[in-house]
Amino acid sequence: MLPTPTSVPPQLRDSHGRALRDLRISITDRCNYRCVYCRDGEEGTSYSELSNEEYLRLITLFIPLGITKVRLTGGEPLLRHGLVDLVAEIATLRTLFGEAPDIAITTNGHLLESLAAPLKNAGLRRATISMDAVDAPNFEAITRVPRSFERVLAGIRAAKAAGLEPVKINCVLLRGFNDNQIEGFARFAQQENVIVRFIEFMPLEEGRFWSRDLVIPIDELVGRLSRVAPLVELPPNEAGETAIRFGFKDGPGEIGIIAPVSRAFCGACSRLRLTSDGKIRTCLFSQVEHDLYGRMRAGLNDEALRSYIIRVAQQKEQRHHIGEPGFLKPSRSMVHIGG
Ligand code: SAM
């Protein structure tokens, strides 16, 4: 009989003593946005996607090893046909293993208005929606898709109405590019009663123009936000939380700051990633990928595949080396790795 995640200590432990609980799985590397800080411009013509059955089998391998959170991402995960079915199938892993994983999604929100309620009913618990500007002209200049702002706003409101809470809005900030949106986002967080999380720009873009000067340090950001409305620092929701949290002294809304560059949190990282072509990445910045899908296709049984996953997890890098001499960007960009 398979062990359940609650009855055994996590087997996925890296050689630095971290328990790995969080699986991020890219279910497509297609995207309907071409955000200027992420994509080169032209849409590619070849994509790597597995079938729902194959993603489900891969996820099923991880759950008894102590994975408790599954985040679907991409590319743009809402582009996948059969997404609602896939979520429903992940949710039914409860019957196999006693406990269903906490299922979340990271999406650009463009297609969320009509999908929020069906996804919630299928078992999705939370949604994180990416949004890098709070006004239509700036937003559409970033996504390069007309009327995208109104679609995403409708998606955010639908996610709230469907109970995919807390709804988190992720904004990647680049100096001289969209930092004029900081104050608007503070007001947006209050007005829409959502969590706005500012994320430091990392060297994962297709265009290879990252530089430290583009990153806005956390103290500067907090100073600017505080001038809009006084902030109070909030305790972390859980050990190892990546965001530094702030509430507003008076009123709803929340701000999170995720600072992988200026305040790296690798020591608390509990993540493994699975690319849309079924390769395990132990870090966003890994130089190697581990071909789990290839082994599955070659006919390895579940026990052998789980032993492989355990061995790969042990190899998780201690930390990233962004900005240090000799730092190497990963060979694949964020849209292919899965953010
Ligand atoms: N399409 C979905 C979305 O927009 O949320 C999921 C995939 S997207 C790659 C996931 C997240 O990665 C988005 O919030 C995006 O802004 C973020 N991202 C992309 N490139 C990044 C970079 N170089 N540094 C930091 N975050 C980045």
Side-chain angles (χ1 to χ4, degrees), residues 92-309:
T92 61
L93 292 176
R94 174 184 291 115
T95 49
L96 268 181
F97 300 121
E99 195 177 315
D102 179 19
I103 313 169
I105 201 162
T106 298
T107 168
N108 62 30
H110 192 84
L111 299 171
L112 195 54
E113 186 178 15
S114 59
L115 278 169
L119 284 169
K120 171 73 181 177
N121 293 337
L124 187 75
R125 296 209 190 140
R126 289 171 295 116
T128 298
I129 300 156
S130 306
M131 192 174 154
D132 302 307
V134 274
D135 66 76
N138 272 298
F139 188 76
E140 287 157 23
I142 294 172
T143 62
R144 297 187 267 196
V145 172
R147 301 189 57 202
S148 47
F149 184 72
E150 60 193 73
R151 296 288 298 262
V152 174
L153 201 53
I156 291 170
R157 291 175 180 161
K160 284 188 72 183
L164 291 171
E165 304 243 38
V167 172
K168 294 180 184 166
I169 310 298
N170 276 359
C171 166
V172 178
L173 276 183
L174 281 76
R175 187 184 298 286
F177 172 73
N178 66 341
D179 59 326
N180 60 352
Q181 301 289 308
I182 292 174
E183 289 76 9
F185 265 116
R187 288 186 284 272
F188 183 84
Q190 293 179 303
Q191 281 157 11
E192 296 286 330
N193 188 14
V194 289
I195 304 174
V196 170
R197 306 191 314 169
F198 294 102
I199 303 180
E200 287 180 346
F201 180 47
M202 294 179 278
L204 290 164
E205 73 290 5
E206 285 179 347
R208 313 245 149 184
F209 56 83
W210 184 91
S211 91
R212 192 176 275 278
D213 300 340
L214 290 170
V215 177
I216 298 172
I218 182 166
D219 296 336
E220 180 183 334
L221 178 54
V222 172
R224 284 181 60 176
L225 291 165
S226 309
R227 284 195 283 281
V228 178
L231 299 175
V232 274
E233 192 158 349
L234 301 173
N237 282 315
E238 56 189 5
E241 171 148 11
T242 52
I244 301 163
R245 301 173 60 223
F246 296 92
F248 293 99
K249 260 198 184 123
D250 29 52
E254 189 180 312
I255 297 290
I257 299 179
I258 302 179
V261 180
S262 62
R263 294 207 193 162
F265 40 80
C266 304
C269 182
S270 59
R271 295 175 188 165
L272 284 176
R273 286 186 154 77
L274 205 49
T275 60
S276 57
D277 53 357
K279 303 208 167 95
I280 304 174
R281 291 184 70 92
T282 48
C283 172
L284 270 176
F285 297 96
S286 291
Q287 292 297 320
V288 280
E289 295 181 340
H290 307 269
D291 191 3
L292 180 62
Y293 178 66
R295 283 167 174 76
M296 187 175 105
R297 290 278 300 210
L300 264 67
N301 65 23
D302 286 3
E303 199 186 331
L305 291 170
R306 288 203 176 94
S307 305
Y308 178 67
I309 294 171

